[in-house]
Amino acid sequence: MSRLKVSIFGAGKIGTALAVTLSQSADFSLEIVDRSEEALDTLRSLPIDATLRTFRHPEDLPALLSGRDVAVAAVPEAAVPEIARAAAQAKVHYLDFSCAATQTSEALAELSSQRAVLTGCGVSPGMIGNIACGLLEESLGVTDLTIRVGAVPRFPTNRLGYGQIWNVDGLIDEYTRPSAAIRDGRPVMLTPLEEHGKISVDGVNYEEFITSGGVGDLSIFSEFALKNVTFKTIRYPGHLDYMRFLLDDLGLRSRRDMLRSLLCNGLPIIEDDVLLLMVTVRGSRARQPTERTACYRFSPDAKNGSFNALTSAATGYAATLLSLLQRGDVAASGYIEHHHIDTRTILSSDFLKPLLDPQ
């Protein structure tokens, strides 16, 4: 079986982690492409078997994809559409980690008739949708779905119980933008930081509350005719009160620049984190209420360098999907509904199994 020729656009944390992950397998031939030669230089000391290339203008991108099989957009959201357009012009498979914006969807519409298109292939959106659909498919009479995702320090030391685990701008968006949900069978937008609750996982206490952006497209649940769908974030107890103090009492909700500076300068960078993915379905059977919960916990893999659990799980999920594409286990064209791939197949892959804590 021939190697899958993958071009990763973006030499940031996600692109680098994906390259390190894929380098563990002989099934891939890798290129990493970035505007910055300096960014690429930081990769030379890492265990990555890849060709490093730079470009100056977006018009150069299709030519860089000549002879390649897959374009991966591991870039900030604003730059994703230009990678999608390049993939469409070069007629190669495409994968990204974010919710498909209008520009991206328009660029990929024609490509999907010829090549595989995989969007939202990280943790959330991404793997959490797969776990949720897997649990729904195994359960009967479900009316309510609650999805919870949380990456927290393994050893919290500050009052927030938090640190820089992923992109600070994305974190602020989570806390300030409306959250897509379903109520009484209808799509709605909920206010973030509401519906506070308490949960316990393996004897450790956490809190949960509504945030935005966790599930890119609620239509993936349409076949289940759910009455209520809610997305929540998991944090250590007390986190929500301190965030409300910053956002509301100090008025930083309307001073994003100041809030960003405060979090970037005040929160430590966390490499030893714990990623929790928890899905609960509720319903009834024979007039009796039913409830099932699936919970998975991921930790960093020391063999992958200094990437935390959240980054490792996101790139591990993407690497798993690329491996399935390379083996012919997913279709070679069309929008790939990776949320319907068997969850056991996903979690038992060589890229995710080492991260999964025993249950």
Side-chain angles (χ1 to χ4, degrees):
M1 189 178 295
S2 61
R3 302 171 79 190
L4 193 70
K5 292 173 282 189
V6 179
S7 293
I8 301 171
F9 290 87
K13 186 179 294 184
I14 291 292
T16 301
L18 179 60
V20 170
T21 300
L22 292 177
S23 290
Q24 300 172 19
S25 171
D27 293 335
F28 303 97
S29 170
L30 303 178
E31 287 190 351
I32 305 174
V33 184
D34 198 281
R35 290 179 183 271
S36 169
E37 185 68 47
E38 183 179 356
L40 293 173
D41 282 342
T42 63
L43 308 184
R44 301 186 193 279
S45 61
L46 298 176
I48 299 175
D49 181 15
T51 301
L52 308 181
R53 306 180 71 178
T54 59
F55 72 100
R56 291 182 178 274
H57 308 288
E59 299 79 35
D60 301 332
L61 297 179
L64 290 174
L65 286 168
S66 176
R68 307 300 291 172
D69 296 318
V70 186
V72 175
V75 294
E77 286 191 25
V80 169
E82 70 182 24
I83 308 301
R85 286 190 289 268
Q89 292 179 47
K91 294 181 172 56
V92 298
H93 303 301
Y94 173 84
L95 180 146
D96 68 28
F97 295 86
S98 56
C99 306
T102 302
Q103 284 184 300
T104 304
S105 298
E106 291 174 350
L108 296 174
E110 184 176 348
L111 178 65
S112 65
S113 66
Q114 306 170 64
R115 296 290 185 267
V117 171
L118 300 102
T119 60
C121 300
V123 167
S124 176
M127 181 161 42
I128 191 61
N130 179 277
I131 292 172
C133 286
L135 187 59
L136 287 166
E137 288 167 358
E138 295 175 354
S139 306
L140 298 174
V142 174
T143 58
D144 294 2
L145 168 67
T146 302
I147 300 170
R148 308 174 186 88
V149 176
V152 296
R154 185 181 299 274
F155 306 109
T157 58
N158 55 47
R159 288 181 173 85
L160 274 176
Y162 200 65
Q164 294 188 56
I165 295 175
W166 72 299
N167 181 274
V168 169
D169 288 309
L171 178 72
I172 296 172
D173 287 343
E174 269 197 8
Y175 288 0
T176 57
R177 292 184 177 178
S179 175
I182 295 175
R183 288 291 182 270
D184 295 323
R186 297 182 178 182
V188 298
M189 302 302 289
L190 301 180
T191 303
L193 309 187
E194 299 298 326
E195 296 191 21
H196 176 269
K198 299 178 181 179
I199 56 174
S200 178
V201 180
D202 295 332
V204 180
N205 294 324
Y206 301 96
E207 65 181 12
E208 59 176 19
F209 49 89
I210 289 173
T211 53
S212 71
V215 178
D217 185 2
L218 291 178
S219 69
I220 66 174
F221 305 125
S222 59
E223 66 187 90
F224 302 105
L226 298 169
K227 185 177 180 181
N228 299 296
V229 177
T230 307
F231 181 86
K232 291 186 170 184
T233 281
I234 298 172
R235 295 287 184 259
Y236 286 114
H239 179 93
L240 179 58
D241 280 343
Y242 284 107
M243 285 308 305
R244 282 175 168 163
F245 172 74
L246 292 173
L247 291 168
D248 299 325
D249 293 8
L250 295 187
L252 298 184
R253 186 183 299 274
S254 59
R255 293 295 307 274
R256 185 186 178 107
D257 55 339
M258 186 176 294
L259 177 61
R260 186 183 189 281
S261 177
L262 180 68
L263 295 177
C264 285
N265 291 306
L267 292 179
I269 295 174
I270 302 296
E271 295 179 355
D272 190 7
D273 62 332
V274 174
L275 171 64
L276 293 166
L277 304 183
M278 189 174 185
V279 177
T280 299
V281 295
R282 298 183 180 88
S284 62
R285 194 179 310 139
R287 299 184 179 180
Q288 289 293 315
T290 61
E291 178 176 305
R292 291 185 64 189
T293 294
C295 185
Y296 300 95
R297 185 173 62 185
F298 298 82
S299 296
D301 183 1
K303 292 186 297 183
N304 275 5
S306 59
F307 303 112
N308 63 25
L310 180 60
T311 299
S312 298
T315 54
Y317 184 68
T320 299
L321 296 176
L322 290 172
S323 181
L324 293 173
L325 179 64
Q326 190 267 343
R327 299 201 306 260
D329 291 337
V330 298
S333 64
Y335 282 96
I336 306 303
E337 297 182 336
H338 47 90
H339 50 280
H340 281 317
I341 298 173
D342 181 67
T343 302
R344 289 175 289 271
T345 298
I346 295 291
L347 296 179
S348 63
S349 76
D350 293 340
F351 304 111
L352 285 173
K353 189 175 181 180
L355 307 173
L356 193 58
D357 291 348
Q359 297 186 44

